[in-house]
Amino acid sequence: MPKLPPTLHAERRGAVAVLTLKRAEKRNALNDPTVQGIEAFFAALPEGIGAVVLAGEGEHFSAGLDLSELSERDVMAGIAHSQSWHRAFERIEFGTVPVVAVLHGAVVGGGLELAAAAHVRVAERSAFYALPEASRGIFVGGGGSVRLPALIGASRVMEMMLTGRTFSAEDGQALGLSHYVVENGAGLAKGLELAQRIAGNAPFTNFAVMQLLPRIARSDPATGFATEALAAGIAQGDEEAKARLKAFLEKRGPKVARS
Ligand code: 1HE
């Protein structure tokens, strides 16, 4: 694992790496070293890692931007700061492996932007979501105005920012901020279970889901269909797919489970 700041902890569990925000005394507020550490971690995942779980230590996932770092910046420094978050979170969204975020307590401001860069979100019942930027006189800067509208629609994001309202875990699930809601304390186990399953997928399929699907969804339909056909053809031609299809036909592959 790459060298990380003391506010981050990484460990390996088989094919899954767990990255934990470790600054509970400041509610996992994201300072510059932490954001740079996140970028470094996702840029240099060790061989054999097929998925990452991203979690937070203590009572909260993340209180967002470290507000104590804000006062000294001028306009250009502020732009550069936002772009440093963009680079780090891009490493998550369009990195090498899928990422499962495990959310609890405050998932606010930049914490919600960080969560939005992950591919799967598991929320414990304690999770709550807010974008308090307006009340602090600032604006989202970690990709929130791009990623959050894709999850819940621009109108919801606008309203969250204007009124500063808080959504509960159940609200967030209904809106589409999370994919799962689990009991308090059960998030990491669920996140690990999902990450292990994801890590067991064919690598090309995970690549296509992460890198192609979101771009197809944003492209014009003709480009989307052509790209999808290419991806489908490449996937089917891959030895991995042939072995998995053969295993199913020979009754060795898993059936789809009833929910
Ligand atoms: C912080 C931060 C922070 C806590 N930066 N130090 N984010 C916010 O506007 C959220 C601000 N935080 C809160 O509303 C609350 O702290 C929480 C609801 C998250 C948690 O409340 P609580 O009662 O558990 O903790 P606390 O007593 O408020 O905070 C404990 C300590 O963490 C305290 O420091 P201490 O030295 O007095 O012990 C707090 O000052 C510190 N702390 N949150 C710095 N955010 C790229 S643009 C992104 C834009 C944004 O993210 S805006 C949203 C910023």
Side-chain angles (χ1 to χ4, degrees):
M1 301 275 181
K3 187 158 166 36
L4 296 173
T7 51
L8 290 172
H9 174 75
E11 66 181 73
R12 188 174 180 150
R13 303 215 190 167
V16 174
V18 181
L19 181 67
T20 308
L21 303 173
K22 210 167 169 293
R23 202 186 177 208
E25 72 286 1
K26 295 287 181 189
R27 308 311 184 243
N28 294 324
L30 300 166
N31 58 8
D32 288 348
T34 307
V35 173
Q36 285 155 14
I38 291 171
E39 183 179 0
F41 173 81
F42 283 99
L45 283 174
E47 262 312 281
I49 294 294
V52 171
V53 170
L54 175 64
E57 201 178 79
E59 297 298 307
H60 303 280
F61 175 71
S62 174
L65 174 69
D66 185 329
L67 295 168
S68 69
E69 283 186 341
L70 207 66
S71 47
E72 300 303 318
R73 280 191 205 113
D74 64 16
V75 170
M76 287 315 294
I79 290 173
H81 177 263
S82 169
Q83 288 180 315
S84 75
W85 282 50
H86 292 166
R87 275 195 303 278
F89 293 2
E90 175 100 0
R91 286 275 185 199
I92 299 176
E93 186 180 9
F94 292 113
T96 50
V97 299
V99 179
V100 180
V102 175
L103 311 175
H104 72 294
V107 185
V108 305
L112 180 53
E113 294 179 282
L114 172 61
H119 305 94
V120 177
R121 280 166 293 280
V122 175
E124 295 190 355
R125 286 206 188 276
S126 65
F128 59 95
Y129 309 95
L131 292 171
E133 279 81 352
S135 70
R136 314 274 182 229
I138 57 177
F139 193 65
V140 284
S145 59
V146 175
R147 294 193 182 93
L148 291 169
L151 296 183
I152 63 174
S155 168
R156 287 281 187 194
V157 180
M158 206 182 272
E159 196 272 336
M160 277 179 89
M161 290 195 70
L162 290 174
T163 66
R165 80 190 283 177
T166 299
F167 285 118
S168 66
E170 286 75 19
D171 293 336
Q173 175 76 7
L175 286 172
L177 285 172
S178 65
H179 300 98
Y180 298 83
V181 176
V182 299
E183 294 309 320
N184 292 336
L188 185 59
K190 184 68 184 174
L192 282 168
E193 175 205 321
L194 296 170
Q196 272 147 11
R197 200 181 310 158
I198 290 167
N201 292 338
F204 180 81
T205 309
N206 278 351
F207 166 83
V209 170
M210 280 179 66
Q211 305 286 342
L212 301 183
L213 190 141
R215 288 166 168 128
I216 290 172
R218 281 180 224 143
S219 67
D220 66 284
T223 306
F225 284 123
T227 310
E228 182 187 278
L230 277 177
I234 293 168
Q236 284 167 34
D238 201 69
E239 288 308 314
E240 183 81 30
K242 289 193 171 54
R244 286 170 186 243
L245 298 177
K246 188 163 179 284
F248 176 76
L249 295 173
E250 292 172 356
K251 313 275 183 225
R252 290 180 287 113
K255 287 190 187 185
V256 175
R258 283 176 193 274
S259 68

